[in-house]
Amino acid sequence: MTDSDKGQPLVEIRDLRIEGRSDEDWNPIIKGVDLTLHKGEVLGLIGESGAGKSTLGLAAMGFARDGVRISGGSVMFDGIDLLAASAETKRKLVGKRIAYVAQSAAASFNPAHKLIDQHAEAPINHGTATKAEAEQDGMELYRRLRLPNPDEIGFRYPHQVSGGQLQRAMTAMAMSCRPDLIIFDEPTTALDVTTQIEVLAAIRDVVEQFGTAAIYITHDLAVVAQMADRIKVLLRGEEVEENETREMLSNPKEEYTRSLWAVRSFERPEKPPVPTDATPVVSVQNVTAAYGKVQVLHDVSFDIHAGRTVAVVGESGSGKSTTARVITGLLPPKAGQVELDGQILPPDYRKRSKEQLRQVQMIYQMADTALNPRKTIGEIIGRPVQFYMGLTGRKKRDRVADLLDQIELPAETYLDRLPSELSGGQKQRIGIARALAAEPKFIICDEVTSALDQLVAEGILRLLARLQDELNLAYMFITHDLATVKAIADEVVVMKDGEVMEQGSKAQMFTPPHHPYTDLLLSSVPEMDPDWLTNLLAERGRDNIGDAASDKID
Amino acid sequence: MNAVLKIILQRLALGVLTLFIVSIVIFLAVNMLPGDFAEAILGQGATPEAVAAIRRDLGLDQPLVVRYWDWLSGVLQGDLGNSFAQANFSAFVGSESGGNAGVAQQIAPRFANTMFLAGVTACIAVPLAVGLGVLAALYRNSAFDKAANVFTLSSISSPEFFLAYVLILFLAVLNPMLPSLSNIYPDMGIAERLQKTLLPALTLTLVVTAHMMRMTRAAIINLLASPYIEMARLKGVKPLRIITHHALPNALAPIINVIALNLAYLITGVVVVEVVFVYPGIGQLFVDSVKIRDIPVVQACCLIFAAAYILLNLLADILSILSNPRLRHKR
């Protein structure tokens, strides 16, 4: 089909320029992007963080966040010039003809009102329906989106509904006035894989049923492959390329696009099996733990050997991080014990010796919040060097420089910088250097790559792998991302609801037959194949994906 | 709902405990005041015998702990004791003490007047402050916002008596709409009572509005960057409705707390305004009683003030809890 076959485009953005304010200066965020979207079409916008995807998506609604301004170009929506239109004209348009689905439904639903009231707000205020009609329609949409108890769930408050359900309720809310266009801004990024698949299926269904056009913003290629007719790749506010989804996946033209595609190729060679008589560095033995009266870990056991990575996989709430807290002594277990090199560790970290504390180090998910913003990099890394190794003065400085060298950051440039002057990936490297400073045997990596873009995450994974080979470190790698597991793990522990479902070598884990839950997790990870979701739904049926399937396993 | 009930009961118990501790502090503080009632009432001509007789009569010669116990057990049975000043001393008159001597009888009408003034002020000030705060948040950084801020801030930074005289000048002297004296009597009709109370109420409104308005504005603006406010904007909700319907319900807790503090101030701290308008409230009674060391009245007043603070804060806590749907509706 050519453009002329489709008639007038629904959205036409020409040479759009958007600036963001930092201190006194206006810096370009979007540097002249064109975008055309026809009725009923789904466009995928993809790029790394900072590429300007969300800004562009909001601009398609004629909206700019505080501190952001549209400085040039044009945005036409169905013949209306959104940049010239008055605030009142735009207000009458958004919610009614253009709707928005935000990344975090939990934050984007008002905690003070019931779901159905928030759902009905737009139709009532835009005068498209009465309260009763809007509520009735809401229940109907909840049913179509396969929410449990569709007649009742709307009368709950947001905090009474799970994340995946909220995301679907938000999609229903966007549908409430049957808009011509919906902007989906990373709607599944915050969700677990098994929940994500359910939301994806639901979104695709309603978009198809109502012939709604959509702009689908994400950083996940596999997700966009399922959802979009066409894909546009953005890099630092500029378009890299745009093409039909299949063409884009099979035949990317630009170097940058190819590099995005290539990320998933990193995989470490398999290591020889651990000798059966070797003493594990860390051995978690029959650990049961609770927060107050709520039991969160049930009889968890696994071993981690020197030079090996054990990936602990599971969805949010499965007890991965709690296990880490037990190992570090932050949460003394109710039963069971943790051994380090065959020695039982005191359950409470306050009772552990300095030597025991030194051996177990941790790297965190949010490097941003894990580094003291007022200390220089030299001080941040120097602190554990002095505390654990007793080095001061010249020796301490040399050691810090060595460590920076190990994480591939030149010491002379970075020693005196503050964390705020580093990128996300660099901050995470500092977190690694700080852990290494104690010269530990064992490091817990808690979702260390999940806040990073794929290319940056890949760099971190390669660094961790190299350090492991050089220093014979043992890693416990907490993650919910199975691609990361494939890349770095030697052994895998699958957790669900505080219990270990399955454990074994990576090869075992990724070859059938699987434990049913492992199978569900594996099959829920989107693949690059644009037919993947369609095929999966045909194969398993609607009731064997997501929460519905997860609940059946016990 | 059970969890909320539990929290409320906990706070209530804590409030009672606080009141008990406060009662000790009050008793000690009042009894540490220099001079005593006997010397104050007898004045220059006090002979040691007369002073001792009066002290014995009033039980002032008893040890502190005994007096505290007598007072506390009396208060717990609803008996606030007898006012020294109103008592007839057997030593002088030769008859049994009696008549209108109860502290409770003395305080009750004054306290009712104070509550009436506080109530009228609250009815004007709270809606005004919250309304101004909402509008200031809606039109933030506009001329209206700045004008509202300047006006309320200058009224809170002026002394109360000055505000009172300015209002008297404009509303009673230059335009005689309201009486400048607020001498109200028990048998007055409600309309006349209101008219007489209006000037002091307006003065107090000027004093308390700024604090509440600025908190309302700040609490709302604080929420305007939330994703759910952006969502409301992107649903095409009208700006005023975004503030009143989406921001305000989530900003209630801090606003309620500031309102409670200001209401407590209205009950306990309005002596100056009462003096200026000759309003027969509890503040004046309190100051007079301190002057003549009328210990039972002073203690009772202090206890009432403390109870007002504790109760209003307790109420604010409870309302804050109830305004949070997470606490009202469990998962």
Side-chain angles (χ1 to χ4, degrees), chain A residues 65 110 113 118 121 159, chain B residues 230 235-236 245-246 250 329:
Chain A
R65 288 199 168 116
N110 191 326
H113 301 293
Q118 302 191 49
E121 189 175 23
H159 70 274
Chain B
E230 180 177 287
K235 281 197 311 192
H245 201 75
H246 288 278
N250 293 295
H329 305 271

Side-chain angles (χ1 to χ4, degrees), chain B residues 316-331:
Chain B
D317 277 356
I318 292 170
L319 287 176
S320 301
I321 291 168
L322 291 181
S323 79
N324 184 344
R326 279 164 210 274
L327 291 171
R328 248 184 309 142
H329 305 271
K330 284 282 158 194
R331 286 188 73 99

Side-chain angles (χ1 to χ4, degrees), chain A residues 106-423:
Chain A
S108 295
F109 270 114
N110 191 326
H113 301 293
K114 291 174 184 161
L115 294 179
I116 198 87
D117 292 338
Q118 302 191 49
H119 180 96
E121 189 175 23
I124 295 171
N125 280 284
H126 288 294
T128 60
T130 65
K131 189 169 192 307
E133 286 166 2
E135 284 181 0
Q136 203 54 48
D137 183 56
M139 293 173 201
E140 177 58 32
L141 283 168
Y142 293 155
R143 189 166 295 120
R144 289 201 194 204
L145 286 159
R146 304 181 71 85
L147 281 163
N149 308 325
D151 294 335
E152 177 271 327
I153 195 166
F155 296 92
R156 297 194 210 165
Y157 285 89
H159 70 274
Q160 298 171 307
V161 179
S162 78
Q165 291 169 358
L166 270 185
Q167 204 70 49
R168 276 179 281 167
M170 175 154 284
T171 306
M173 185 161 84
M175 283 286 173
S176 61
C177 291
R178 300 294 183 275
D180 301 312
L181 170 66
I182 301 183
I183 316 285
F184 290 97
D185 192 353
E186 306 246 15
T188 61
T189 307
L191 304 177
D192 288 319
V193 276
T194 55
T195 317
Q196 161 170 288
I197 185 172
E198 217 167 32
V199 177
L200 289 180
I203 289 178
R204 210 173 63 171
D205 271 3
V206 286
V207 168
E208 270 168 19
Q209 281 172 22
F210 295 114
T212 316
I215 294 178
Y216 195 99
I217 297 165
T218 178
H219 66 274
D220 189 334
L221 283 162
V223 165
V224 85
Q226 313 309 316
M227 309 302 286
D229 303 320
R230 280 185 300 134
I231 297 177
K232 185 196 277 292
V233 182
L234 289 181
L235 174 64
R236 290 189 214 102
E238 281 172 295
E239 178 178 323
V240 177
E241 61 177 314
E242 179 179 332
N243 215 329
E244 303 286 324
T245 300
R246 280 166 205 281
E247 182 67 18
M248 183 73 115
L249 290 172
S250 56
N251 190 16
K253 292 193 176 52
E254 299 293 324
E255 187 57 37
Y256 174 70
T257 318
R258 270 200 288 275
S259 78
L260 281 179
W261 269 230
V263 166
R264 289 158 181 259
S265 58
F266 175 60
E267 193 170 337
R268 300 178 75 189
E270 201 173 328
K271 290 177 187 160
V274 184
T276 42
D277 58 343
T279 313
V281 174
V282 168
S283 174
V284 179
Q285 296 170 352
N286 308 96
V287 163
T288 295
Y291 291 119
K293 288 196 181 106
V294 189
Q295 200 171 334
V296 281
L297 290 182
H298 312 270
D299 199 19
V300 170
S301 304
F302 57 86
D303 292 342
I304 304 173
H305 288 271
R308 301 302 160 113
T309 303
V310 171
V312 179
V313 193
E315 311 198 352
S316 45
S318 61
K320 308 183 298 273
S321 295
T322 309
T323 310
R325 287 171 63 87
V326 169
I327 295 174
T328 52
L330 289 170
L331 180 73
K334 289 265 183 288
Q337 61 198 22
V338 178
E339 282 184 5
L340 180 75
D341 274 338
Q343 305 279 314
I344 295 176
L345 281 174
D348 190 327
Y349 75 96
R350 280 167 288 212
K351 303 237 167 64
R352 293 184 185 175
S353 70
K354 203 171 186 179
E355 183 60 18
Q356 286 170 328
L357 290 172
R358 184 177 71 80
Q359 298 293 4
V360 178
Q361 292 295 314
M362 194 148 175
I363 310 171
Y364 301 87
Q365 175 174 9
M366 305 302 288
D368 264 337
T369 49
L371 302 179
N372 186 336
R374 290 183 170 271
K375 299 273 184 205
T376 65
I377 302 309
E379 288 172 312
I380 289 172
I381 303 176
R383 168 81 187 136
V385 169
Q386 188 173 346
F387 179 76
Y388 286 118
M389 313 316 293
L391 301 179
T392 50
R394 169 106 235 139
K395 281 184 178 160
K396 176 173 151 191
R397 249 199 328 277
D398 290 347
R399 176 68 185 137
V400 172
D402 279 353
L403 285 164
L404 281 171
D405 201 44
Q406 279 189 323
I407 55 162
E408 297 155 12
L409 295 178
E412 59 274 19
T413 336
Y414 289 95
L415 215 46
D416 295 319
R417 290 205 188 175
L418 290 170
S420 56
E421 297 171 290
L422 304 183
S423 71

